Amino acid sequence: MLQYQAPLEEFNFLAHKVLRLSELLPLLPEHHHIDADLFRATLEVGAELTQEQLLPLNGSGDAEGCRLEQGGVKTPQGFKSAYRLFQENGWPALTVPLSIGGQGFPGTAGVFFDEMLASTNLSFSIFANVREGVLRCVDRFGDERVRSLFSDKLASGEWLGTMCLTEPQAGSDLGLIRTTAVTQSDGSYLLSGTKIFISNGDHDLTENIVHLVLARTEGAPAGTGGLSLFVVPKYQLEVPASANGVSVIALEHKHGIRANATCALAFENARGYRVGELNRGLACMFLLMNSARLAVGVQTVGLTEVAYQNALRYTQERLQGRALNGATHPDQPADPLLSHIGVKSSLVQQRLFIEPARLLCAWVGTLLDEARCHPDDARRKQASQLAELLTPIVKGYLSQHAGTHISSALQLFGGHGYIVETGMEQLLRDAAICPIYEGTNYIQSLDLLGRKTLSDQGQRLGIFLSHIPALAERLRQRPGLEGVVTTLASWGAEFEPLVQQLSVDTVFNRDVVGLVAPDFLELLGTVVFGYLWAWIADAAAPSTSDEKFLRSKPALARLYFSEAEVRVPSLIEKLKRNASRLGLLEQIQLC
Amino acid sequence: MLQYQAPLEEFNFLAHKVLRLSELLPLLPEHHHIDADLFRATLEVGAELTQEQLLPLNGSGDAEGCRLEQGGVKTPQGFKSAYRLFQENGWPALTVPLSIGGQGFPGTAGVFFDEMLASTNLSFSIFANVREGVLRCVDRFGDERVRSLFSDKLASGEWLGTMCLTEPQAGSDLGLIRTTAVTQSDGSYLLSGTKIFISNGDHDLTENIVHLVLARTEGAPAGTGGLSLFVVPKYQLEVPASANGVSVIALEHKHGIRANATCALAFENARGYRVGELNRGLACMFLLMNSARLAVGVQTVGLTEVAYQNALRYTQERLQGRALNGATHPDQPADPLLSHIGVKSSLVQQRLFIEPARLLCAWVGTLLDEARCHPDDARRKQASQLAELLTPIVKGYLSQHAGTHISSALQLFGGHGYIVETGMEQLLRDAAICPIYEGTNYIQSLDLLGRKTLSDQGQRLGIFLSHIPALAERLRQRPGLEGVVTTLASWGAEFEPLVQQLSVDTVFNRDVVGLVAPDFLELLGTVVFGYLWAWIADAAAPSTSDEKFLRSKPALARLYFSEAEVRVPSLIEKLKRNASRLGLLEQIQLC
């Protein structure tokens, strides 16, 4: 059985010492009522909820799974009452703006709370999470009727939500979507079509479910430019409620997240309401997609954190072999696994991932707050652009690496890691969805290099790079971190010529982007992690002696740089060799 | 549902064009009756068996799993009759020496046949495979009575076998084993103790099961030097057979290989027979362990091969998006996934792994044949030492990377890869045991760097390195491969100074070995793969036009080198920095 202690010290350190929320929040009208004490106290209550209510349901929910009975999905035992508690205690409203009935906590609080949800019960967290993105779409793009019908119920979590994009023939290529929407005299639409892989597609947690659906109106152009967005409730909104032509065709059997209901849904003349302009559905949906992509990054942090905690505990307790430099526990039949340097090194690698991954998510959460409501126009724009650059890194880089670290944690258990009852193997299965959903990682890498870097003339990338000198300046005053400063600055200087070369190469062959995009994501992710480690080390350096958990951070940062220093040049060299790699790929016939 | 076509062309190419078995086998007394035609024809029949009998049971066996009923394990539906067919057709005897009733095929044939088993049904292959190692232990170390009791039944596959090493308190640290063996007046022993994680621990496939058990006799020294090896049948050998004090305490629920019976076994005064000298049990067991480690490498090849084949097929069929350089199939609503350069690149990465991995296993299979029965003493010794060096690479390097490639293949299916019915996710779960069992990968890396390299004064490593110049000389005559020659030679030259530095560093701090062992495994694995790609390219170069599948190999080899050229120096640099990394690790407190 897995154990979990929410890393509250880390949360508060990142929020207040690193991101300095107490300086920022007073400037943000939506969040200025939240101070450090309320932030801390709220996360403490959230920690209790997740540790005591959700963790005990994680293994049992996985074993039991969801069931399809008489056309409806039943969630595993305990999920319904856990959701009721979750909802009645107001958690759905945590980061919902005050203006629409929420509590107005900043995005960082949401990121940390969601991390605890993911650490303790990923399937439950997916049920809980999509709703807020649906709400934000409805609130931003819906007309008064739509807002009045759905906002309150979504804000309170009385109803949950879904995103209906994928169809059997349309996965990464949404331009192939066929679901139709036929306009009605009252301004509503009747939707018909098949949607697959719909998380939370049906369940018994709430009385109604709000589907956000991409569909094509009559006469709309082909491709993504002909897609509009609709909100379609499971039950019609009249009283008494009647079914609305949405039925469950299939409940998927999956590798992981088995307690979440992934459904194929048939829409047959289901009544829906348009959200946003005609044929601009994809742009509206992207508001939700971007928050979903941040959520995936947060999930990977939660999963690696709980895997790490359990591996650390096991390696402290399990006695096996003797340390190479001599017994550390000569009174015992063997030394604890943690006495072996290779075991410690594996755990440290996990920490080197988790800490900057958590800060990255929290940082993007803060940037999205700034982008929405900072009083300074330029600051809003810059925050928005930086968040756009970092989003594919949050989703793609984190989910690409999380599986490796969870697998390392599992392997520290030896054969016990492979046994279901230990709980580690579920984490590996659950995490395996993260590289796939909300846009595959290959799509993320194309987004990062193509749209966010090359098509942008490097502007968004420039915003990130412009942050480096100020941090370097602060770090120069920290003894022992001089090497970090030099390396970070040298990395920053590599990007301009590299992006220029890639731009030129792409003019001659568009496949250059398609080939090197994953390498570019890996490179920028590695450099962003360096920036984040430097930031953490800077904030931790003046720690007083009672903050024991901060003492290792400068050494962790230096270790990160020591290893990344040899990887970054090899990644850059690989990117530069794209022409010869493309040439060789063309000579290779796979079939 | 997974599909599979055994890669027979590749098998024959490796056996006859690369390893040149038709020159070697006539020199080996145990194998000189096997010619290329018999080799080819036998693998063809084996391909039919695995494709038609075992593949259909793979998904169903995983879903059903084994069951514990009335103290005995029932295998999933179809396994019993498949095993009967397998046994009656003589497959268990394939590589068993003629002298003990086998067919005397060379190890390479066994490697390729086992790869087909692993591709089509890993759980079944584990049932089938352990037996031959048990037989070889019994044949080599058993006295006449033991051989007469067990050899024939094991050779024919009438009985299957297990390896009983692990106990609850003794996993990687076998010195902690507590199972006792009490000597009896007739020379037999009574064994008592608990063994866990025993593959094939109990089942209904054969009438009896032969357990090979590490245990401690009365008064034996503590640690591994007090372990002796025993063969313990499930049923006593008198007629009628009666139970022998071996009972199933638990049948494990596992992440994967769910159709294999992983058991906890209790031995209560179970009658056993010693195999090999008193207190030399571990050395005897290592004969079996080394073949088991080769088998794990073969398993990873089989799993990545079937994952690759299915991903290739899916990406040819699935239409999604348009190629970046313009539509390749303008008459279709979208281009096949394979038209996207990033998709092709991912598949090529899988090929870059599978081909040298397969050759590595086949090469070690051949080396073990040579080590056993080559008429030239020096050749026997050299083959044995080289096989010893390569074994931790086969087990550790292959299983460390296989999961990544299977995960890449799965991700090419998008959301469909995450669905149980597609079959890909089972491969990922099954493959996850490979880094763990038969000695964790960390243990493999310590074995490679500590025992096989540093303690050996680089002698075994020198044998490998001495192979490089001859291959380089041949390659110089192949146009287009000059760069490969230069790089390979330069890599070879890096090892002497590196190993010298590590030897010196280790004198000052034994933890250096423990820290850098995984990096050294990664480095040597990467270089060995380079050697293997160069070997493949050399053998493929003079191909005639009717050998279409050979045409891409030189380009694959060059691509491998193009990518490894930038990775190898960074790995070497990382290894050299061990002192500063150790210093930083010492400053980091994890708890």
Side-chain angles (χ1 to χ4, degrees):
Chain A
M1 280 286 284
L2 296 178
Q3 297 178 23
Y4 174 71
Q5 281 284 329
L8 293 169
E9 275 185 326
E10 295 285 343
F11 293 160
N12 288 308
F13 166 68
L14 293 180
H16 308 303
K17 296 277 175 59
V18 180
L19 291 167
R20 300 175 171 276
L21 287 192
S22 36
E23 293 169 22
L24 176 69
L25 293 186
L27 301 176
L28 304 182
E30 289 186 15
H31 308 300
H32 62 68
H33 60 295
I34 307 294
D35 63 19
D37 287 341
L38 184 57
F39 190 98
R40 178 187 311 263
T42 303
L43 288 178
E44 278 171 16
V45 181
E48 264 177 47
L49 173 92
T50 56
Q51 289 163 192
E52 292 170 18
Q53 303 297 326
L54 300 183
L55 186 63
L57 298 178
N58 196 28
S60 61
D62 178 68
E64 187 183 338
C66 287
R67 283 161 298 140
L68 187 56
E69 284 180 6
Q70 298 169 330
V73 173
K74 305 279 175 237
T75 56
Q77 199 162 8
F79 272 55
K80 201 167 167 174
S81 56
Y83 185 76
R84 193 178 311 124
L85 191 69
F86 177 84
Q87 198 243 320
E88 287 171 359
N89 286 352
W91 291 106
L94 185 69
T95 50
V96 169
L98 292 169
S99 58
I100 47 174
Q103 301 174 22
F105 273 78
T108 305
V111 162
F112 293 152
F113 182 66
D114 288 349
E115 182 193 318
M116 296 190 283
L117 289 180
S119 281
T120 51
N121 200 319
L122 185 62
S123 288
F124 186 93
S125 83
I126 298 168
F127 276 125
N129 272 343
V130 178
R131 174 200 53 85
E132 185 165 343
V134 176
L135 169 64
R136 287 183 185 265
C137 261
V138 163
D139 184 57
R140 169 117 175 245
F141 301 112
D143 60 18
E144 208 181 311
R145 176 170 66 161
V146 166
R147 289 203 307 274
S148 71
L149 289 174
F150 297 100
S151 287
D152 287 355
K153 302 283 191 180
L154 286 167
S156 66
E158 204 174 324
W159 295 349
L160 287 174
T162 79
M163 296 163 60
C164 297
L165 288 76
T166 306
E167 299 184 4
Q169 77 294 343
S172 295
D173 187 352
L174 294 174
L176 301 175
I177 282 177
R178 290 191 198 134
T179 296
T180 56
V182 180
T183 184
Q184 304 298 301
S185 55
D186 65 350
S188 70
Y189 290 79
L190 293 183
L191 278 83
S192 298
T194 302
K195 295 288 182 178
I196 64 170
F197 300 152
I198 308 306
S199 296
N200 320 330
D202 193 55
H203 55 78
D204 52 8
L205 302 182
T206 52
E207 283 185 2
N208 208 347
I209 300 172
V210 184
H211 302 290
L212 206 55
V213 185
L214 276 181
R216 207 177 285 285
T217 51
E218 288 163 295
T224 54
L227 297 175
S228 303
L229 190 62
F230 302 87
V231 60
V232 182
K234 176 182 175 185
Y235 291 109
Q236 300 211 31
L237 303 178
E238 295 84 34
V239 180
S242 61
N244 185 27
V246 186
S247 55
V248 182
I249 312 172
L251 176 66
E252 304 292 356
H253 304 107
K254 305 185 303 294
H255 186 60
I257 52 168
R258 291 187 177 165
N260 189 270
T262 307
C263 297
L265 298 178
F267 292 80
E268 291 165 288
N269 291 318
R271 187 168 305 275
Y273 308 87
R274 183 153 52 79
V275 174
E277 289 174 40
L278 208 61
N279 299 334
R280 296 277 301 155
L282 202 60
C284 300
M285 189 57 118
F286 257 89
L287 179 74
L288 196 160
M289 277 301 283
N290 283 329
S291 71
R293 287 171 179 179
L294 172 57
V296 174
V298 174
Q299 290 167 7
T300 68
V301 178
L303 292 168
T304 45
E305 169 70 26
V306 68
Y308 166 79
Q309 286 190 17
N310 283 274
L312 176 60
R313 177 176 51 80
Y314 185 78
T315 60
Q316 290 174 277
E317 291 169 1
R318 172 78 169 171
L319 306 179
Q320 207 74 177
R322 287 294 180 196
L324 289 168
N325 277 329
T328 59
H329 292 61
D331 53 321
Q332 302 272 11
D335 294 332
L337 283 179
L338 188 53
S339 298
H340 301 287
I341 188 73
V343 170
K344 180 174 181 182
S345 170
S346 170
L347 289 161
V348 167
Q349 289 300 320
Q350 295 164 44
R351 281 278 292 271
L352 290 180
F353 173 79
I354 294 167
E355 296 200 23
R358 176 180 290 128
L359 174 55
L360 179 60
C361 294
W363 188 23
V364 171
T366 299
L367 289 170
L368 292 175
D369 289 345
E370 287 187 55
R372 214 172 35 243
C373 63
H374 199 286
D376 178 344
D377 285 355
R379 184 80 176 260
R380 274 206 312 280
K381 188 177 173 199
Q382 206 180 59
S384 173
Q385 289 188 318
L386 188 50
E388 285 161 6
L389 179 81
L390 296 175
T391 296
I393 299 174
V394 168
K395 197 282 177 183
Y397 184 77
L398 300 194
S399 71
Q400 198 64 24
H401 290 275
T404 307
H405 294 291
I406 296 169
S407 174
S408 297
L410 181 152
Q411 288 180 44
L412 291 174
F413 284 76
H416 296 277
Y418 201 68
I419 302 299
V420 170
E421 286 77 1
T422 309
M424 297 295 286
E425 65 87 37
Q426 183 189 345
L427 302 178
L428 201 56
R429 286 186 288 106
D430 286 354
I433 191 60
C434 294
I436 297 172
Y437 69 178
E438 317 309 351
T440 67
N441 281 0
Y442 184 52
I443 297 282
Q444 302 302 318
S445 71
L446 291 174
D447 179 49
L448 178 68
L449 178 58
R451 195 176 317 164
K452 305 281 175 65
T453 303
L454 295 180
S455 300
D456 188 47
Q457 317 287 327
Q459 201 186 323
R460 288 184 179 85
L461 180 60
I463 296 173
F464 165 67
L465 296 175
S466 73
H467 280 60
I468 293 180
L471 177 60
E473 197 49 49
R474 293 205 302 277
L475 275 176
R476 257 182 255 283
Q477 302 151 26
R478 308 283 182 213
L481 293 172
E482 301 83 1
V484 167
V485 174
T486 312
T487 305
L488 195 57
S490 75
W491 286 348
E494 295 274 7
F495 277 93
E496 197 181 315
L498 177 66
V499 171
Q500 271 175 1
Q501 188 201 321
L502 294 176
S503 297
V504 173
D505 294 345
T506 303
V507 171
F508 294 102
N509 189 343
R510 298 267 321 150
D511 268 351
V512 168
V513 178
L515 176 68
V516 305
D519 304 319
F520 187 79
L521 174 63
E522 179 67 23
L523 172 66
L524 190 53
T526 305
V527 169
V528 166
F529 263 40
Y531 176 80
L532 297 168
W533 263 120
W535 195 1
I536 290 171
D538 176 54
S543 66
T544 56
S545 60
D546 61 325
E547 296 177 298
K548 188 181 156 210
F549 81 102
L550 293 180
R551 267 184 249 152
S552 296
K553 295 196 189 300
L556 284 162
R558 287 172 59 198
L559 187 62
Y560 181 85
F561 273 86
S562 166
E563 298 182 357
E565 264 164 26
V566 301
R567 262 197 339 265
V568 164
S570 80
L571 283 166
I572 291 172
E573 180 60 26
K574 190 177 175 199
L575 279 154
K576 287 183 177 166
R577 291 184 178 198
N578 64 72
S580 70
R581 285 166 66 208
L582 265 186
L584 290 167
L585 275 174
E586 275 161 24
Q587 294 173 42
I588 295 167
Q589 295 295 325
L590 294 180
C591 46
Chain B
M1 279 285 284
L2 296 177
Q3 296 177 24
Y4 174 70
Q5 279 285 326
L8 294 168
E9 275 184 325
E10 295 285 343
F11 293 160
N12 289 307
F13 166 68
L14 293 180
H16 307 304
K17 297 277 175 61
V18 179
L19 292 167
R20 298 174 170 276
L21 287 192
S22 37
E23 294 169 21
L24 177 69
L25 294 186
L27 302 175
L28 304 182
E30 289 186 15
H31 306 300
H32 62 67
H33 59 296
I34 307 294
D35 64 17
D37 286 342
L38 184 57
F39 190 98
R40 179 188 310 266
T42 303
L43 289 179
E44 278 172 17
V45 182
E48 264 176 48
L49 173 92
T50 55
Q51 290 163 194
E52 291 169 19
Q53 304 296 328
L54 300 183
L55 186 62
L57 298 177
N58 196 29
S60 61
D62 177 68
E64 189 183 335
C66 287
R67 281 160 299 139
L68 187 57
E69 284 180 7
Q70 298 169 332
V73 173
K74 305 282 176 235
T75 55
Q77 199 163 9
F79 272 56
K80 201 168 170 175
S81 56
Y83 184 76
R84 192 179 310 124
L85 190 70
F86 177 85
Q87 198 243 319
E88 287 171 359
N89 286 350
W91 291 107
L94 185 70
T95 51
V96 170
L98 292 168
S99 58
I100 46 173
Q103 300 175 21
F105 273 78
T108 305
V111 162
F112 293 152
F113 181 66
D114 287 349
E115 183 193 316
M116 295 190 284
L117 289 180
S119 282
T120 52
N121 200 319
L122 185 62
S123 288
F124 185 94
S125 83
I126 298 168
F127 277 124
N129 273 343
V130 179
R131 173 200 55 85
E132 186 164 341
V134 176
L135 170 64
R136 287 184 185 265
C137 261
V138 163
D139 183 59
R140 169 118 175 243
F141 301 113
D143 60 19
E144 208 180 312
R145 175 171 67 159
V146 165
R147 288 203 307 275
S148 73
L149 289 173
F150 296 100
S151 286
D152 287 355
K153 302 283 194 181
L154 285 168
S156 67
E158 206 174 323
W159 295 348
L160 288 174
T162 78
M163 296 163 60
C164 297
L165 289 76
T166 305
E167 299 183 2
Q169 78 293 346
S172 294
D173 187 353
L174 294 173
L176 301 176
I177 280 178
R178 289 188 198 139
T179 295
T180 57
V182 180
T183 183
Q184 304 298 301
S185 56
D186 66 350
S188 69
Y189 291 78
L190 293 182
L191 278 82
S192 299
T194 303
K195 295 287 182 180
I196 62 169
F197 299 151
I198 309 306
S199 296
N200 321 330
D202 193 55
H203 55 77
D204 52 8
L205 301 181
T206 54
E207 282 184 2
N208 209 344
I209 299 172
V210 184
H211 301 290
L212 206 56
V213 185
L214 277 181
R216 207 176 284 284
T217 52
E218 290 163 296
T224 54
L227 297 175
S228 303
L229 190 61
F230 302 88
V231 60
V232 182
K234 175 182 175 184
Y235 292 109
Q236 300 211 32
L237 303 177
E238 296 85 32
V239 181
S242 60
N244 186 26
V246 186
S247 55
V248 182
I249 312 173
L251 175 65
E252 304 292 355
H253 304 108
K254 306 186 301 294
H255 185 60
I257 50 168
R258 291 187 180 166
N260 190 271
T262 308
C263 296
L265 298 178
F267 292 80
E268 290 164 290
N269 291 319
R271 188 167 305 273
Y273 309 88
R274 184 153 51 78
V275 174
E277 290 173 41
L278 209 61
N279 299 335
R280 296 276 300 153
L282 202 60
C284 300
M285 190 56 119
F286 257 89
L287 180 73
L288 196 160
M289 276 301 283
N290 283 327
S291 72
R293 286 172 179 179
L294 172 57
V296 175
V298 174
Q299 290 167 7
T300 68
V301 179
L303 292 169
T304 45
E305 169 70 27
V306 69
Y308 166 78
Q309 285 190 19
N310 283 275
L312 176 60
R313 177 178 51 80
Y314 185 77
T315 59
Q316 291 173 276
E317 291 170 0
R318 172 77 169 172
L319 307 179
Q320 207 75 178
R322 288 295 179 194
L324 289 169
N325 277 327
T328 59
H329 291 61
D331 52 323
Q332 302 273 12
D335 293 333
L337 284 179
L338 187 53
S339 299
H340 301 285
I341 189 72
V343 170
K344 181 176 180 181
S345 171
S346 169
L347 289 161
V348 166
Q349 289 300 321
Q350 296 164 44
R351 280 279 292 272
L352 290 180
F353 172 79
I354 294 167
E355 296 201 24
R358 177 180 290 128
L359 174 55
L360 178 60
C361 294
W363 188 23
V364 172
T366 299
L367 289 169
L368 293 174
D369 289 344
E370 287 187 54
R372 211 170 39 241
C373 63
H374 198 285
D376 178 346
D377 286 355
R379 183 78 177 260
R380 274 208 309 282
K381 186 176 173 201
Q382 205 179 62
S384 174
Q385 289 188 319
L386 188 51
E388 285 161 6
L389 179 80
L390 296 176
T391 295
I393 299 175
V394 167
K395 198 284 178 182
Y397 184 76
L398 299 195
S399 71
Q400 198 65 23
H401 290 275
T404 307
H405 294 292
I406 295 169
S407 173
S408 297
L410 181 151
Q411 288 179 43
L412 292 175
F413 283 77
H416 296 279
Y418 201 69
I419 302 298
V420 170
E421 286 77 3
T422 308
M424 297 294 288
E425 66 86 37
Q426 183 191 343
L427 301 178
L428 201 57
R429 286 187 288 106
D430 286 354
I433 191 59
C434 294
I436 298 172
Y437 69 178
E438 315 310 351
T440 66
N441 281 1
Y442 184 52
I443 298 283
Q444 302 303 316
S445 72
L446 290 175
D447 179 50
L448 178 69
L449 178 58
R451 194 176 316 163
K452 305 282 175 66
T453 303
L454 296 180
S455 301
D456 187 48
Q457 317 286 326
Q459 200 184 324
R460 288 184 179 85
L461 180 60
I463 297 172
F464 165 67
L465 296 175
S466 73
H467 280 59
I468 293 180
L471 177 59
E473 197 49 50
R474 293 205 304 278
L475 275 176
R476 257 182 254 285
Q477 302 151 26
R478 308 283 183 213
L481 293 172
E482 301 83 0
V484 166
V485 174
T486 313
T487 302
L488 195 57
S490 76
W491 286 348
E494 295 274 9
F495 277 94
E496 197 181 313
L498 177 66
V499 171
Q500 271 175 3
Q501 188 202 322
L502 294 177
S503 297
V504 173
D505 294 345
T506 303
V507 171
F508 294 101
N509 189 342
R510 300 265 323 146
D511 268 350
V512 168
V513 178
L515 176 67
V516 306
D519 304 319
F520 187 79
L521 173 63
E522 178 67 22
L523 172 67
L524 189 53
T526 306
V527 169
V528 166
F529 262 40
Y531 176 80
L532 297 167
W533 264 120
W535 196 1
I536 291 170
D538 176 53
S543 67
T544 55
S545 61
D546 60 324
E547 295 179 299
K548 187 181 156 209
F549 81 103
L550 292 180
R551 268 183 247 151
S552 298
K553 295 199 189 299
L556 284 162
R558 288 171 60 197
L559 186 63
Y560 180 84
F561 273 86
S562 166
E563 298 182 357
E565 266 166 25
V566 300
R567 261 198 338 266
V568 164
S570 79
L571 282 166
I572 291 172
E573 180 61 26
K574 190 177 175 197
L575 279 153
K576 288 184 179 166
R577 292 184 178 196
N578 64 73
S580 69
R581 284 165 65 207
L582 265 185
L584 289 168
L585 276 173
E586 276 161 24
Q587 295 174 39
I588 295 167
Q589 295 296 323
L590 293 180
C591 46

